[in-house]
Amino acid sequence: MNRRDCLALLGMTAALPTAVLAQQPNATRRLGVLSVIAGDEVIGQARLAEALATHGWKEQDNLKVDWRSGAGDRARIAQLADELIALKPDVLLALGTPSVEELRQRTTTIPIVFAVVTDPVSQGFVKNLAHPGGNITGFTDYDGPLAGKWLEMLTQVTPRVSRVFVVYNPATAPFAPLMLRTVEEAARTLHVTVEAAPVHDAAAIAALAARKEGGLLVLPDFFTMANRVQLLAAISEAHLPAVFWSRTFVDEGGLMSYSTDSAEQLRRAASYIDRILKGAQAADLPVQNPTKFELAINLRTARAIGVTLAPGLIALANDVIE
């Protein structure tokens, strides 16, 4: 082979599409991860590594993982999105709605797999669940009846809860109006009054302690997860029953949660990352709704705030903290 032929071959290799490069066993691929909160919360870095390893992708071997965490700060998330795009990863994993929003503004070509995202169709991330189109697909953390289920749980608290404040940060939970509509529809049937209680910062969270009647419904929102210490302290001070979107809150003193299984979301996201690295197109991979839910109850907290829960609700719990 002469020098001209060698140069031509090198040029052809550089132009190979992702699907062909994926077939080269010794090629190291690159995954960029953008999380709204710290890497050990909800979906942890160690769990992601384990999930990817089941598909044969291992750091220090054939995969480089660049993880960025925004700590609930929208401006910081935007900055980190720029950093990840500059690294030119083969695929991106977006954890939480703000991560998807920032990444999609910066690329229409790099495949994006999302997890823990609410209603991607209404938010404009995908065309529809079955055929997402474009470069984005993934796994939702919410289906329609879930918000009504949270409200129903609060009606199974004694003393009776007749007023519920719905907590979320509009900046990090732009989907909140959709969920509020579902909660309000359920409220009419359950004979409960619902009121939005947006929180934008630590001061707004602390102000929740001044509420001395009713209950709290904390919507899926990575801002509340990142600020859960302050949130749980304010709720404890108010002695109000509350239901949360993640069992992490219950493990740390919250009353109860009904949530998707984050470990399952992680495993499923890893499977899509694997398929894309092996040549699949994001547009051809359907967006999937959650299939597993878990109910967690903290009876220590119930006793501390002076409420009791219906025996039927406790019987349904996957985990009860005594």
Side-chain angles (χ1 to χ4, degrees):
M1 182 180 293
N2 60 35
R3 182 174 182 273
R4 179 177 297 176
D5 291 336
C6 286
L7 291 173
L9 180 59
L10 288 172
M12 290 175 61
T13 301
L16 286 174
T18 298
V20 176
L21 287 172
Q23 297 171 8
Q24 299 181 14
N26 296 323
T28 297
R29 314 304 299 283
R30 193 159 202 157
L31 167 66
V33 184
L34 182 58
S35 176
V36 178
I37 55 176
D40 60 345
E41 298 175 303
V42 182
I43 294 182
Q45 297 185 50
R47 281 187 175 181
L48 176 62
E50 292 172 4
L52 290 168
T54 64
H55 298 281
W57 298 103
K58 300 179 181 180
E59 287 200 78
Q60 314 303 327
D61 185 0
N62 57 0
L63 185 67
K64 167 66 175 174
V65 180
D66 300 293
W67 189 296
R68 300 290 188 274
S69 304
D73 184 329
R74 190 57 186 264
R76 177 64 175 157
I77 294 166
Q79 178 185 353
L80 295 174
D82 285 331
E83 289 183 15
L84 284 176
I85 296 298
L87 295 173
K88 299 181 179 180
D90 297 288
V91 61
L92 290 158
L93 173 61
L95 303 178
T97 291
S99 295
V100 184
E101 287 186 331
E102 295 299 339
L103 290 173
R104 73 190 288 259
Q105 293 175 18
R106 291 161 172 78
T107 181
T108 58
T109 56
I110 301 174
I112 299 172
V113 176
F114 61 73
V116 201
V117 165
T118 298
D119 195 13
V121 176
S122 292
Q123 295 194 79
F125 298 158
V126 298
K127 293 179 180 178
N128 59 63
L129 299 185
H131 304 285
N135 64 319
I136 303 175
T137 188
F139 301 87
T140 73
D141 68 341
Y142 166 77
D143 63 2
L146 189 57
K149 177 67 176 178
W150 290 324
L151 190 65
E152 182 184 351
M153 289 167 62
L154 284 171
T155 66
Q156 298 184 57
V157 173
T158 304
R160 181 178 180 273
V161 174
S162 59
R163 188 178 193 85
V164 174
F165 301 98
V166 183
V167 180
Y168 64 96
N169 183 342
T172 51
F175 49 81
L178 165 75
M179 302 187 83
L180 274 169
R181 286 196 296 272
T182 303
V183 172
E184 289 165 352
E185 290 172 3
R188 288 192 285 271
T189 301
L190 297 168
H191 306 291
V192 176
T193 300
V194 171
E195 180 180 328
V199 291
H200 300 84
D201 51 31
I205 291 175
L208 293 174
R211 301 181 187 273
K212 298 302 181 184
E213 60 177 19
L216 297 174
L217 193 166
V218 181
L219 292 183
D221 180 358
F222 280 102
F223 173 84
T224 57
M225 177 63 75
N227 294 276
R228 65 187 183 278
V229 173
Q230 301 96 312
L231 179 61
L232 288 168
I235 294 173
S236 176
E237 184 178 346
H239 273 65
L240 295 181
V243 61
F244 300 89
W245 62 276
S246 170
R247 69 157 297 148
T248 299
F249 291 91
V250 177
D251 290 338
E252 298 182 13
L255 179 62
M256 53 186 172
S257 66
Y258 186 62
S259 62
T260 55
D261 184 335
S262 59
E264 183 206 26
Q265 286 238 332
L266 186 64
R267 289 191 294 270
R268 299 170 82 193
S271 72
Y272 268 19
I273 292 169
D274 170 61
R275 292 173 67 176
I276 290 171
L277 288 174
K278 291 176 178 175
Q281 299 296 310
D284 299 328
L285 300 175
V287 174
Q288 298 186 40
N289 284 324
T291 59
K292 291 180 64 178
F293 298 88
E294 56 182 6
L295 169 61
I297 292 174
N298 192 325
L299 290 182
R300 288 204 304 260
T301 298
R303 290 190 293 270
I305 65 175
V307 302
T308 58
L309 304 178
L313 180 64
I314 297 173
L316 292 173
N318 301 91
D319 190 18
V320 176
I321 299 174
E322 297 285 354

